[in-house]
Amino acid sequence: MNDQLVILVVVWPLLVGALTALFPDRPRLLFFWTVGHLLAVNVLGSLLVTQVLGEGPVSYHLSGWAPPLGIEYRATTLSALLSWLVSLVALLGVLVSRSTWEGQIGHRLPHFLSLWFLIVASYQGICLSNDAFNLYVMLEISSLATYGLIAFGGGRAYLATFHYVILGTIGASLYLLGVGFLYIKTGTLNIGDLQRVVAEMEFTRSLVIAAAFLIAGVMLKMAAFPLHFWLPNAYTYAPAAATVLIAPLSSKLAVFMLFRIIIDFFGSSLTSLMPAWSVVLPIAASAGIVFGTSLALAQRDLKRMFACLIVAEAGYMLGGLWLPNVLGTHGALFHLINDAVSTLVLFMVVIAVTESCGGRTLDHLKGLFTRSPLTGAALVLVGFNLIGVPPTSGFFSKALLISGAIEAGHWEFVAALLFASLGNLALFFRLYENAFFYSSSRSSCPEAKYAGGVALGIGGLLLGLGLASQEIVQTFIVPVVGR
């Protein structure tokens, strides 16, 4: 069975999702069905991580067709870790968002959970596929499932979904054009074979055009500034049960795709092959950090506020990947893991605050520490992480990014990271002021205490990630990136 793990984590949720659509509208039955299968996928994911750490990269050839003719799935230390992280976020998202199903999903729950499993399967495929076209297929499946999950919000979510459909289609088309250019020039779609062929070729104008299409398409998917306009409305008006899965993973996996384009598709860092881009993109990333942080400071709706922070966080990782040194890449990939966990906690806090306080604006936040102290503690912990207070993982990821930026001489990126820390300090202390210094007569409900407790427990991972940051980088990132 060990030889099948790398494909089972993709196929299992895909098949379960198809079966889930046939279920009757029985929330209790669907909850246990969903949790049981997500637990199974988590077990498979953890076994895959163990196998990769023990044996090295694991490959699986679909239908027995060896690459480059066949489609290959391949697990490295980093992709296996991200695959398991997808399963974990999906499981925790179901556990916390169950209280919102009745009010926001209703009788459509079987179809909602069917899309949930479909998006988990596609995210697994993005992590593990070693075929450039199959990556496109998985990207499109995840996009279609995301459109459906966001549209479940109704009302203004329909227009937000329409905007996302238009821009998401443009992004996917750009990526596909880039793959087409590469296939014409190289005659292969397997990423390992693609890397070998490109390394033997002169870096011509057609390869530059291919790289430009690929990068632009993925940047739109990751909501990097100035291609971010679809994200705030989409995440704000989507059901809470959808954002708790999409927000922590969607843009982060797009960052992982960008990393693979830069390193795996072209065999050596594009930062050396395209020096002009190495100047422009860190500047664009810096502008995105400043813009996203400033936009978040202007919000009063917690959900929109945290969605704007995702735009800023995308700038962290985009700039880190385009720094012409390994420190920046290490920082970007470690921040990817850190940001996935912290974004999960943020949107869990939104659910807990809504349940406890009857809304999710700054005014609703008043008295949070009295009504739901666990939620308040989770908000403090994730805030410290985003500010970059040691020993949270946010401190160590920013330290790596700042070190890489200083080494590369990108002082504008250093200034943007420091601005983001100060901006997050102002933002979260405004939240703490409302939550601590004002009182409310409203009492907490059991669902809020449960969601706040889970958010606090996951927030504790941010401390663990910080304390184990060196081991994580050495174990999961260095084998893929190098020293």
PDB file of all heavy atoms in Angstrom, residues 74-94:
ATOM      1  N   ARG A  74       4.341  12.886  -7.766  1.00  0.00           N
ATOM      2  CA  ARG A  74       5.609  12.767  -7.056  1.00  0.00           C
ATOM      3  C   ARG A  74       5.545  13.540  -5.755  1.00  0.00           C
ATOM      4  O   ARG A  74       5.142  14.700  -5.725  1.00  0.00           O
ATOM      5  CB  ARG A  74       6.748  13.295  -7.930  1.00  0.00           C
ATOM      6  CG  ARG A  74       8.144  13.010  -7.397  1.00  0.00           C
ATOM      7  CD  ARG A  74       9.175  13.336  -8.474  1.00  0.00           C
ATOM      8  NE  ARG A  74      10.504  12.918  -8.090  1.00  0.00           N
ATOM      9  CZ  ARG A  74      11.386  13.714  -7.469  1.00  0.00           C
ATOM     10  NH1 ARG A  74      11.046  14.977  -7.182  1.00  0.00           N
ATOM     11  NH2 ARG A  74      12.581  13.275  -7.141  1.00  0.00           N
ATOM     12  N   ALA A  75       5.938  12.878  -4.677  1.00  0.00           N
ATOM     13  CA  ALA A  75       5.938  13.502  -3.355  1.00  0.00           C
ATOM     14  C   ALA A  75       7.368  13.750  -2.911  1.00  0.00           C
ATOM     15  O   ALA A  75       8.174  12.823  -2.814  1.00  0.00           O
ATOM     16  CB  ALA A  75       5.224  12.606  -2.345  1.00  0.00           C
ATOM     17  N   THR A  76       7.699  15.019  -2.670  1.00  0.00           N
ATOM     18  CA  THR A  76       8.959  15.389  -2.033  1.00  0.00           C
ATOM     19  C   THR A  76       8.677  15.737  -0.575  1.00  0.00           C
ATOM     20  O   THR A  76       7.526  15.689  -0.125  1.00  0.00           O
ATOM     21  CB  THR A  76       9.582  16.600  -2.739  1.00  0.00           C
ATOM     22  OG1 THR A  76       8.693  17.728  -2.603  1.00  0.00           O
ATOM     23  CG2 THR A  76       9.787  16.312  -4.225  1.00  0.00           C
ATOM     24  N   THR A  77       9.712  16.089   0.149  1.00  0.00           N
ATOM     25  CA  THR A  77       9.488  16.433   1.561  1.00  0.00           C
ATOM     26  C   THR A  77       8.513  17.604   1.692  1.00  0.00           C
ATOM     27  O   THR A  77       7.606  17.577   2.534  1.00  0.00           O
ATOM     28  CB  THR A  77      10.822  16.805   2.234  1.00  0.00           C
ATOM     29  OG1 THR A  77      11.498  17.803   1.450  1.00  0.00           O
ATOM     30  CG2 THR A  77      11.710  15.579   2.386  1.00  0.00           C
ATOM     31  N   LEU A  78       8.669  18.625   0.842  1.00  0.00           N
ATOM     32  CA  LEU A  78       7.809  19.802   0.934  1.00  0.00           C
ATOM     33  C   LEU A  78       6.406  19.519   0.437  1.00  0.00           C
ATOM     34  O   LEU A  78       5.420  19.892   1.082  1.00  0.00           O
ATOM     35  CB  LEU A  78       8.431  20.960   0.143  1.00  0.00           C
ATOM     36  CG  LEU A  78       7.662  22.279   0.173  1.00  0.00           C
ATOM     37  CD1 LEU A  78       7.509  22.793   1.597  1.00  0.00           C
ATOM     38  CD2 LEU A  78       8.339  23.325  -0.705  1.00  0.00           C
ATOM     39  N   SER A  79       6.276  18.873  -0.722  1.00  0.00           N
ATOM     40  CA  SER A  79       4.940  18.614  -1.272  1.00  0.00           C
ATOM     41  C   SER A  79       4.158  17.639  -0.401  1.00  0.00           C
ATOM     42  O   SER A  79       2.937  17.763  -0.259  1.00  0.00           O
ATOM     43  CB  SER A  79       5.046  18.087  -2.710  1.00  0.00           C
ATOM     44  OG  SER A  79       5.722  16.845  -2.757  1.00  0.00           O
ATOM     45  N   ALA A  80       4.838  16.664   0.203  1.00  0.00           N
ATOM     46  CA  ALA A  80       4.149  15.739   1.104  1.00  0.00           C
ATOM     47  C   ALA A  80       3.643  16.475   2.347  1.00  0.00           C
ATOM     48  O   ALA A  80       2.526  16.222   2.824  1.00  0.00           O
ATOM     49  CB  ALA A  80       5.082  14.599   1.508  1.00  0.00           C
ATOM     50  N   LEU A  81       4.457  17.385   2.870  1.00  0.00           N
ATOM     51  CA  LEU A  81       4.028  18.170   4.033  1.00  0.00           C
ATOM     52  C   LEU A  81       2.824  19.032   3.687  1.00  0.00           C
ATOM     53  O   LEU A  81       1.853  19.105   4.466  1.00  0.00           O
ATOM     54  CB  LEU A  81       5.181  19.047   4.516  1.00  0.00           C
ATOM     55  CG  LEU A  81       4.862  19.986   5.700  1.00  0.00           C
ATOM     56  CD1 LEU A  81       4.506  19.190   6.944  1.00  0.00           C
ATOM     57  CD2 LEU A  81       6.029  20.935   5.970  1.00  0.00           C
ATOM     58  N   LEU A  82       2.842  19.687   2.528  1.00  0.00           N
ATOM     59  CA  LEU A  82       1.714  20.523   2.125  1.00  0.00           C
ATOM     60  C   LEU A  82       0.466  19.678   1.876  1.00  0.00           C
ATOM     61  O   LEU A  82      -0.657  20.101   2.181  1.00  0.00           O
ATOM     62  CB  LEU A  82       2.069  21.323   0.878  1.00  0.00           C
ATOM     63  CG  LEU A  82       3.159  22.380   1.045  1.00  0.00           C
ATOM     64  CD1 LEU A  82       3.415  23.093  -0.279  1.00  0.00           C
ATOM     65  CD2 LEU A  82       2.774  23.396   2.107  1.00  0.00           C
ATOM     66  N   SER A  83       0.644  18.490   1.320  1.00  0.00           N
ATOM     67  CA  SER A  83      -0.480  17.582   1.107  1.00  0.00           C
ATOM     68  C   SER A  83      -1.151  17.222   2.431  1.00  0.00           C
ATOM     69  O   SER A  83      -2.383  17.240   2.557  1.00  0.00           O
ATOM     70  CB  SER A  83       0.003  16.321   0.388  1.00  0.00           C
ATOM     71  OG  SER A  83      -0.991  15.323   0.386  1.00  0.00           O
ATOM     72  N   TRP A  84      -0.349  16.913   3.428  1.00  0.00           N
ATOM     73  CA  TRP A  84      -0.912  16.608   4.750  1.00  0.00           C
ATOM     74  C   TRP A  84      -1.550  17.842   5.367  1.00  0.00           C
ATOM     75  O   TRP A  84      -2.587  17.754   6.027  1.00  0.00           O
ATOM     76  CB  TRP A  84       0.180  16.052   5.659  1.00  0.00           C
ATOM     77  CG  TRP A  84      -0.322  15.802   7.046  1.00  0.00           C
ATOM     78  CD1 TRP A  84      -1.144  14.794   7.447  1.00  0.00           C
ATOM     79  CD2 TRP A  84      -0.040  16.583   8.210  1.00  0.00           C
ATOM     80  NE1 TRP A  84      -1.403  14.896   8.798  1.00  0.00           N
ATOM     81  CE2 TRP A  84      -0.732  15.982   9.286  1.00  0.00           C
ATOM     82  CE3 TRP A  84       0.722  17.725   8.440  1.00  0.00           C
ATOM     83  CZ2 TRP A  84      -0.676  16.506  10.581  1.00  0.00           C
ATOM     84  CZ3 TRP A  84       0.783  18.240   9.724  1.00  0.00           C
ATOM     85  CH2 TRP A  84       0.084  17.624  10.768  1.00  0.00           C
ATOM     86  N   LEU A  85      -0.957  19.018   5.147  1.00  0.00           N
ATOM     87  CA  LEU A  85      -1.524  20.257   5.677  1.00  0.00           C
ATOM     88  C   LEU A  85      -2.901  20.522   5.070  1.00  0.00           C
ATOM     89  O   LEU A  85      -3.813  20.994   5.763  1.00  0.00           O
ATOM     90  CB  LEU A  85      -0.575  21.420   5.383  1.00  0.00           C
ATOM     91  CG  LEU A  85      -0.937  22.785   5.977  1.00  0.00           C
ATOM     92  CD1 LEU A  85      -0.972  22.724   7.496  1.00  0.00           C
ATOM     93  CD2 LEU A  85       0.050  23.851   5.515  1.00  0.00           C
ATOM     94  N   VAL A  86      -3.082  20.240   3.782  1.00  0.00           N
ATOM     95  CA  VAL A  86      -4.392  20.385   3.142  1.00  0.00           C
ATOM     96  C   VAL A  86      -5.430  19.518   3.856  1.00  0.00           C
ATOM     97  O   VAL A  86      -6.544  19.978   4.166  1.00  0.00           O
ATOM     98  CB  VAL A  86      -4.301  19.998   1.651  1.00  0.00           C
ATOM     99  CG1 VAL A  86      -5.694  19.828   1.048  1.00  0.00           C
ATOM    100  CG2 VAL A  86      -3.523  21.045   0.875  1.00  0.00           C
ATOM    101  N   SER A  87      -5.081  18.270   4.123  1.00  0.00           N
ATOM    102  CA  SER A  87      -6.015  17.361   4.803  1.00  0.00           C
ATOM    103  C   SER A  87      -6.348  17.859   6.198  1.00  0.00           C
ATOM    104  O   SER A  87      -7.508  17.795   6.635  1.00  0.00           O
ATOM    105  CB  SER A  87      -5.401  15.954   4.888  1.00  0.00           C
ATOM    106  OG  SER A  87      -4.997  15.495   3.624  1.00  0.00           O
ATOM    107  N   LEU A  88      -5.349  18.358   6.911  1.00  0.00           N
ATOM    108  CA  LEU A  88      -5.559  18.832   8.277  1.00  0.00           C
ATOM    109  C   LEU A  88      -6.460  20.061   8.303  1.00  0.00           C
ATOM    110  O   LEU A  88      -7.385  20.155   9.119  1.00  0.00           O
ATOM    111  CB  LEU A  88      -4.212  19.145   8.928  1.00  0.00           C
ATOM    112  CG  LEU A  88      -4.250  19.620  10.384  1.00  0.00           C
ATOM    113  CD1 LEU A  88      -4.847  18.554  11.288  1.00  0.00           C
ATOM    114  CD2 LEU A  88      -2.864  20.016  10.865  1.00  0.00           C
ATOM    115  N   VAL A  89      -6.213  21.020   7.415  1.00  0.00           N
ATOM    116  CA  VAL A  89      -7.040  22.232   7.361  1.00  0.00           C
ATOM    117  C   VAL A  89      -8.483  21.870   7.016  1.00  0.00           C
ATOM    118  O   VAL A  89      -9.433  22.424   7.598  1.00  0.00           O
ATOM    119  CB  VAL A  89      -6.464  23.233   6.341  1.00  0.00           C
ATOM    120  CG1 VAL A  89      -7.443  24.378   6.085  1.00  0.00           C
ATOM    121  CG2 VAL A  89      -5.129  23.777   6.839  1.00  0.00           C
ATOM    122  N   ALA A  90      -8.675  20.942   6.084  1.00  0.00           N
ATOM    123  CA  ALA A  90     -10.028  20.534   5.705  1.00  0.00           C
ATOM    124  C   ALA A  90     -10.762  19.905   6.884  1.00  0.00           C
ATOM    125  O   ALA A  90     -11.943  20.196   7.125  1.00  0.00           O
ATOM    126  CB  ALA A  90      -9.969  19.553   4.540  1.00  0.00           C
ATOM    127  N   LEU A  91     -10.090  19.054   7.635  1.00  0.00           N
ATOM    128  CA  LEU A  91     -10.713  18.408   8.793  1.00  0.00           C
ATOM    129  C   LEU A  91     -11.072  19.428   9.864  1.00  0.00           C
ATOM    130  O   LEU A  91     -12.202  19.440  10.381  1.00  0.00           O
ATOM    131  CB  LEU A  91      -9.763  17.352   9.362  1.00  0.00           C
ATOM    132  CG  LEU A  91     -10.213  16.657  10.660  1.00  0.00           C
ATOM    133  CD1 LEU A  91     -11.515  15.907  10.453  1.00  0.00           C
ATOM    134  CD2 LEU A  91      -9.121  15.713  11.170  1.00  0.00           C
ATOM    135  N   LEU A  92     -10.135  20.301  10.202  1.00  0.00           N
ATOM    136  CA  LEU A  92     -10.387  21.313  11.238  1.00  0.00           C
ATOM    137  C   LEU A  92     -11.466  22.293  10.791  1.00  0.00           C
ATOM    138  O   LEU A  92     -12.277  22.755  11.604  1.00  0.00           O
ATOM    139  CB  LEU A  92      -9.095  22.059  11.566  1.00  0.00           C
ATOM    140  CG  LEU A  92      -8.000  21.213  12.211  1.00  0.00           C
ATOM    141  CD1 LEU A  92      -6.689  21.993  12.286  1.00  0.00           C
ATOM    142  CD2 LEU A  92      -8.412  20.769  13.611  1.00  0.00           C
ATOM    143  N   GLY A  93     -11.496  22.597   9.497  1.00  0.00           N
ATOM    144  CA  GLY A  93     -12.524  23.494   8.984  1.00  0.00           C
ATOM    145  C   GLY A  93     -13.921  22.930   9.162  1.00  0.00           C
ATOM    146  O   GLY A  93     -14.858  23.659   9.520  1.00  0.00           O
ATOM    147  N   VAL A  94     -14.082  21.630   8.930  1.00  0.00           N
ATOM    148  CA  VAL A  94     -15.382  20.987   9.135  1.00  0.00           C
ATOM    149  C   VAL A  94     -15.764  21.008  10.609  1.00  0.00           C
ATOM    150  O   VAL A  94     -16.912  21.304  10.975  1.00  0.00           O
ATOM    151  CB  VAL A  94     -15.355  19.534   8.605  1.00  0.00           C
ATOM    152  CG1 VAL A  94     -16.563  18.762   9.099  1.00  0.00           C
ATOM    153  CG2 VAL A  94     -15.323  19.536   7.084  1.00  0.00           C
TER     154      VAL A  94
END
